[in-house]
Structures are given as structure tokens and as C-alpha cells.
Amino acid sequence: MADPPGCCRSCATCLLCLYSCQWITAKKEKRKGLRTTKCDYSWFLFLFCVFLFTLVWLYFAIIILNDFHNFNEFIFKQRKLWLDWSLLLLIATAVLITYSAVLLVLALCLQLCGQPLKLHWLHKTLLILTALVVAAAFIGLGIKWAEEWRSARVSLQATGPFLHIGIVGGMTLLAWPLASFIYRTHNTGLKVFLLLVYCTVMIALYLAPLGITSPCIMEENQLPPKPALVGHRGAPMLAPENTLMSLYKAVDCDVQVFETDVMVSADGVPFLMHDEELTRTTNVQTVFPERAALNSTAFNWTDLQQLDAGSWFLERRPFPTVQSLSAGDRYQVTEQKIPSLEQALEAAKQSNISIMFDLRPENHSDYQSFVNATLEVILQSGIPLQQVLWLPDGFREQVKQQAPGIQQVYGRKRLQNEKEPLLHVNLPYQDMSSEEIRQYRQDNISVNLYVVNQPWLFSVLWCSGVSSVTTNACQVLKEMKHPIWLLPSSTYLMIWIVVDCTSFLAILWAFLLLKKCSQRRRPAESETDVLLTKINSLMQE
């Protein structure tokens, strides 16, 4: 098979070597009569599908980074092993996408150079393994972390316009090897089928913006105010969660609310703690090894004060930001103890921020006494009750009667026949659409969504008009003065038209140019065939 112009024989040989894992020169190729069979084309199609499959998983892997700390906590509860699994996820995904992308590029270059697509059995095996690994990852995601499918839908509001441009660009580049193949093959049916599929896909892509919606496609003067920041357990990227240091770091990040979790000790002292066990965020296994597996509420306040609630932060490094702590901050971390609710309320009062908390565990037999003990501490603390946001649903009516000034925050959407209008709701960011957020805002209902760590997600919720967000990354979101992107609808329409027209012209140019190249090769190939026929006849005579 003749090499087309611009494709030197040595380059074609190297490409064939990498793809086929065999050093086959152009002469050997001709001597062996190597040609791309239907089976080879089937493997190329499989390669293309694996690449797309892996690319989609890469997108999911980037999106779920916003919530990956929850996954790390889940693994610790199950295995008592702390590791930043997001790093392993990204490395594995990068290896898989790089491998399939390199193979795909090699195949497309071979097609442009007119070389056979003889994929080696080792590559075939690795491609099958890649597909199985990615499929297992998607299945695991669907079984154990199904809410991330909704996160992906939210992410499309931030990435949809740019994904459209990228996909159009990729499919436009695909026109070159497609045109090269169509002008080389003599199978008319296959030509028609490929052209129909390609044209259908391109038309769908050109019209895709009709179905792309994003709250950030709006005029500048329509942008709602920046959402207030709620520190998730304080500032857990800068200090150990649910400690006074974390609260003060959150204050430095301009948070308006300190979100925490409250438990009540065996002797009736409310304290800050998220996990039902103390093993993740204290040194209980060292101080009380025989009681380490007990519920946090089984310890009295004197026992709890003996625990170190900070050193784990430096040892396990739950976030990459731990490495950048100053020497002073590191020393302060090692001095942290489990704070009581009374201490946290006093710190919130002095810092003039609100405090929002959940009371755990909800299924405890003494839960009503927990509510009573917590209310007593709040009323005795002297903090203005409007700075206290109450999340627990249990015995809510009792709380309203004893402390009517406390702001009631509900972890659900409003009902159709709501007896008492909701003023504050606190929900996962996946549970509310942009339309619902706008409606609640119009009805003067404060909406807080959690947990929002990535700037792209914060931007989408900002454009939607959310009142506040709970975040681990208050130091990052504090610096955002504007959403990552904001496009007027007229500008987006212009971009859409320009991208589609440029893509159409590039595809047209690719097919016309390669058609001329193929017409130039045909006379030379015909003369060569005639000459070979004559030589063969002379040899037979």
C-alpha cells in the first residue's frame, strides 16, 4: 500500500511497530500482504469505545472530588484505615485514559498513512481489562455512591457549554481519518453507513446547545449576591475539625455560620463531635484502648478532656492543605482538645457568628435528655438566640416552646400543605435544582446547600441564587469575587454559531483535500499495477 504524501516510510514503520508490537518495515508489509481486515476494524471500534468510556470516567472522577472526603471517612469507618483515596483514583484514571488515548492516536495516524491496523494481542488484552476496570468503577459508584449521578447532572450546568465545544472539536478532527478511510475503501455500503452515522452525530452536536441550560448564562446585572459561607465543622482544611482552632480559622475566612455536630457525654455535658466513635479524630486508642470502640456518649467529660483532638490532623493529613501549615499552626494543632458546646457558644458569641448544629445520635434511647441538656447550655450561655440555628428534627416542638428565638432549620423541602412556613432549609446540593432555588429565593426562604468545596460548583449555585453553602474550603471560596464564568445569552449564541460554522468548514476542507490526494494517487497506482502485470507476464513466458 503506497504511503500518502507527508507520511514518510520510517514514520509509518514506527507507528506500525508501536501499534502491532512488531518491527514490520514497509517492504515486509508488502511482502506479507498485510491488510486491515473486518476483525481489525472491529478492534479499532472497540478501542474507540474504550477511550470514550474512560474519558467519561475521567469526567466523573474530577466531579466526585468535591465529595471525596466523605468517601475517605466511609472507608475509615469500615476498615480503620485512613488514606487519601482521591490520589489513587486520579493516578489510576490518568494511566487508563493515557493508554487508550495513545493507542487511538496511533491507530488514526496509521489510517492516515495508509498502514494496516494490526493490533497486538497484548494491547487487546489490556483494552479488555481497561473496559472491565472502568465498568466495575461505574457499578461500584452506582451501588455505594448513587448520589454522585445527581452530582454529574449538576456539573453539566457548569461544563455543558465547554463540553459541547470540546466534543465538536474532537469530532471535527475525526473527519480526517474518516475521509481517508472512505476514499481508500471500495465497500460502498460501508461508506454510506459511516457517512450517515457521522453526519447524524454532527447534526446532533450542532443543535445540542438548544438543550444546554446553565444558570450562569445570564446578564452581569442579573447575578445574585455571593452566597454566605458556612464552615463545615469549622475550617477542616486549616485545622482539626470541630475544635476551637477550626472555629477561629473559619472566622478568619469570613464565614457567617459555624456548622458542627453535638453529642452529650455520659455525665450530661454537650460537646462537639461528628463520629459516633472517637477513633478517627482523637487518640482514644492510646489513652483508653479497651474502650476505643465505645460510642462517644459513653465517656464522661473528664475522660474526654484527656484526649488529644489535634495530632491526628498532622499524622493523617486529611487534606493536602495540611502540608502548608506554619510552625505556629502546627504547634496549636497539637494543643487542641474536644470543646464543649458551652465553649463553642462563647467563641461564636465573641466572634459574632452564628452556630448551626445537629444533635447525635438521633436513635439514642436518651435523646430527649440530650435535647434538654443542650437547650439548657444554650439558654445559660447568653448568646443571642437568633445566632443559634437548630437542625435536629427530634423534639423540635419542645425546642420552639422553650426557646422560641432559636432559628429552626429544616433538612427537607417544603410541603404543599405546610402548617407553618419554612424560613430556613439545609439540604445536599444534589437535592435542589436551579429552578427550585430561584423559587425559594422569591418566597424569602433561606437555602443552605452542603457540602460545596469546588469553585465550579460554588459558581453554579451562586448563579442559581442560593443563600449560603456549607464548605470545607472556606479559604478558597472566600477569595472568589465572581463566578468562574458568566456569559450573556447573546454572547453564548455567537460562540455557538462560530463553533458550528468553523467545524463545518473544517470538515468540508478535510474531505475535499483528501479527495484530491486520493485522485492523485490513483493514476500512479494504476500505472504500477500495469507494470507489475507486464513483468509477471514476461516471467511466465
Side-chain angles (χ1 to χ4, degrees):
M1 186 177 293
D3 296 334
C7 184
C8 66
R9 182 169 295 177
S10 58
C11 291
T13 300
C14 289
L15 291 172
L16 195 58
C17 172
L18 292 172
Y19 191 78
S20 304
C21 295
Q22 297 178 17
W23 188 259
I24 305 175
T25 63
K27 290 184 178 179
K28 289 184 178 179
E29 172 206 332
K30 291 179 179 179
R31 187 165 61 247
K32 290 184 176 181
L34 292 178
R35 292 292 183 271
T36 304
T37 64
K38 292 182 179 179
C39 182
D40 296 326
Y41 283 126
S42 299
W43 277 107
F44 171 76
L45 180 61
F46 180 70
L47 167 60
F48 185 70
C49 293
V50 169
F51 170 73
L52 293 181
F53 196 34
T54 312
L55 196 62
V56 172
W57 172 251
L58 175 63
Y59 179 81
F60 267 85
I62 294 173
I63 294 305
I64 64 179
L65 288 179
N66 181 80
D67 307 315
F68 220 86
H69 186 70
N70 296 338
F71 180 78
N72 292 338
E73 289 184 0
F74 171 78
I75 294 296
F76 183 85
K77 290 177 183 178
Q78 299 295 320
R79 304 295 179 186
K80 303 303 179 187
L81 172 66
W82 183 268
L83 188 66
D84 186 4
W85 297 96
S86 62
L87 185 60
L88 295 179
L89 172 75
L90 290 178
I91 291 174
T93 303
V95 169
L96 295 178
I97 191 69
T98 302
Y99 174 69
S100 55
V102 168
L103 273 186
L104 183 61
V105 170
L106 287 174
L108 294 177
C109 290
L110 284 171
Q111 176 61 38
L112 285 172
C113 289
Q115 301 299 311
L117 302 178
K118 295 294 180 182
L119 187 64
H120 193 265
W121 65 267
L122 180 60
H123 288 317
K124 294 177 182 178
T125 304
L126 292 176
L127 280 176
I128 293 173
L129 288 176
T130 299
L132 292 175
V133 168
V134 176
F138 273 115
I139 293 171
L141 185 70
I143 295 175
K144 293 294 185 180
W145 215 0
E147 62 268 22
E148 290 307 312
W149 293 108
R150 290 180 290 158
S151 300
R153 286 199 294 270
V154 174
S155 73
L156 291 176
Q157 297 179 25
T159 61
F162 308 101
L163 285 177
H164 169 252
I165 294 173
I167 295 172
V168 168
M171 292 299 294
T172 301
L173 292 175
L174 196 61
W176 289 86
L178 177 65
S180 174
F181 173 77
I182 286 175
Y183 291 131
R184 290 175 186 279
T185 185
H186 302 291
N187 190 328
T188 306
L190 184 59
K191 287 183 182 180
V192 173
F193 174 75
L194 290 176
L195 282 174
L196 283 176
V197 170
Y198 185 75
C199 290
T200 302
V201 171
M202 293 309 302
I203 291 172
L205 287 175
Y206 289 157
L207 299 178
L210 293 174
I212 294 176
T213 58
S214 173
C216 291
I217 299 178
M218 62 165 61
E219 301 296 329
E220 182 80 30
N221 57 11
Q222 296 176 331
L223 181 66
K226 181 179 178 179
L229 300 181
V230 177
H232 186 230
R233 309 173 198 171
M237 289 188 176
L238 305 176
E241 65 180 59
N242 285 334
T243 61
L244 293 181
M245 180 183 177
S246 188
L247 186 152
Y248 288 125
K249 287 290 186 181
V251 172
D252 293 340
C253 290
D254 298 335
V255 303
Q256 296 186 12
V257 182
F258 170 61
E259 185 276 339
T260 186
D261 306 276
V262 174
M263 291 192 177
V264 180
S265 67
D267 51 349
V269 179
F271 63 96
L272 307 191
M273 181 61 58
H274 175 267
D275 296 2
E276 293 190 6
E277 295 181 8
L278 300 167
T279 51
R280 184 174 65 86
T281 57
T282 71
N283 63 338
V284 67
Q285 290 175 313
T286 301
V287 181
F288 303 111
E290 69 285 351
R291 301 167 58 193
L294 294 180
N295 192 288
S296 303
T297 58
F299 294 80
N300 61 44
W301 181 240
T302 304
D303 293 339
L304 292 172
Q305 284 299 282
Q306 297 180 46
L307 300 177
D308 177 357
S311 295
W312 70 274
F313 187 70
L314 300 176
E315 295 168 0
R316 293 181 182 141
R317 298 182 179 182
F319 296 98
T321 48
V322 178
Q323 300 177 7
S324 60
L325 292 181
S326 66
D329 283 344
R330 288 176 179 272
Y331 174 75
Q332 190 178 354
V333 165
T334 61
E335 296 296 308
Q336 295 305 299
K337 299 291 184 181
I338 297 175
S340 66
L341 177 60
E342 181 181 0
Q343 293 171 326
L345 290 171
E346 181 63 27
K349 183 172 65 173
Q350 292 178 358
S351 303
N352 195 29
I353 64 170
S354 299
I355 182 169
M356 177 170 65
F357 61 87
D358 218 339
L359 187 58
R360 299 169 178 269
E362 297 88 345
N363 57 354
H364 199 282
S365 57
D366 293 331
Y367 193 73
Q368 186 170 9
S369 66
F370 291 174
V371 173
N372 294 334
T374 303
L375 270 178
E376 182 180 353
V377 170
I378 293 172
L379 294 174
Q380 291 178 356
S381 68
I383 189 173
L385 293 184
Q386 65 269 21
Q387 287 182 227
V388 179
L389 285 71
W390 185 275
L391 278 172
D393 285 327
F395 304 97
R396 190 184 288 273
E397 293 303 319
Q398 174 188 331
V399 176
K400 290 180 181 179
Q401 293 176 5
Q402 295 185 18
I406 291 178
Q407 298 191 59
Q408 299 295 323
V409 183
Y410 294 83
R412 60 171 176 82
K413 297 180 182 180
R414 60 182 174 182
L415 306 175
Q416 290 184 349
N417 300 321
E418 198 76 59
K419 296 180 181 179
E420 196 175 324
L422 303 184
L423 297 179
H424 307 276
V425 295
N426 180 60
L427 293 166
Y429 70 87
Q430 302 99 329
D431 287 0
M432 290 204 77
S433 65
S434 297
E435 292 75 19
E436 288 176 316
I437 293 172
R438 291 194 189 100
Q439 187 60 53
Y440 276 49
R441 185 164 172 260
Q442 291 175 4
D443 297 340
N444 294 319
I445 299 175
S446 174
V447 177
N448 180 69
L449 301 182
Y450 62 90
V451 174
V452 178
N453 300 318
Q454 297 294 328
W456 68 262
L457 179 56
F458 185 66
S459 297
V460 169
L461 298 179
W462 184 346
C463 295
S464 300
V466 73
S467 308
S468 59
V469 298
T470 300
T471 180
N472 292 324
C474 59
Q475 78 282 0
V476 175
L477 304 188
K478 169 192 174 183
E479 301 300 326
M480 292 185 62
K481 308 302 181 186
H482 197 269
I484 291 178
W485 65 271
L486 195 69
L487 283 178
S489 56
S490 57
T491 303
Y492 180 55
L493 178 62
M494 182 180 66
I495 293 173
W496 171 21
I497 294 173
V498 169
V499 167
D500 285 1
C501 291
T502 303
S503 168
F504 177 76
L505 292 175
I507 291 172
L508 192 61
W509 180 52
F511 273 85
L512 292 177
L513 183 63
L514 289 175
K515 183 179 181 180
K516 287 185 178 180
C517 291
S518 65
Q519 288 174 344
R520 288 176 183 175
R521 287 197 304 269
R522 283 173 187 170
E525 290 176 356
S526 300
E527 292 175 3
T528 303
D529 292 339
V530 171
L531 181 60
L532 289 173
T533 303
K534 290 181 178 179
I535 293 173
N536 188 39
S537 300
L538 290 172
M539 290 179 64
Q540 287 179 353
E541 292 176 359

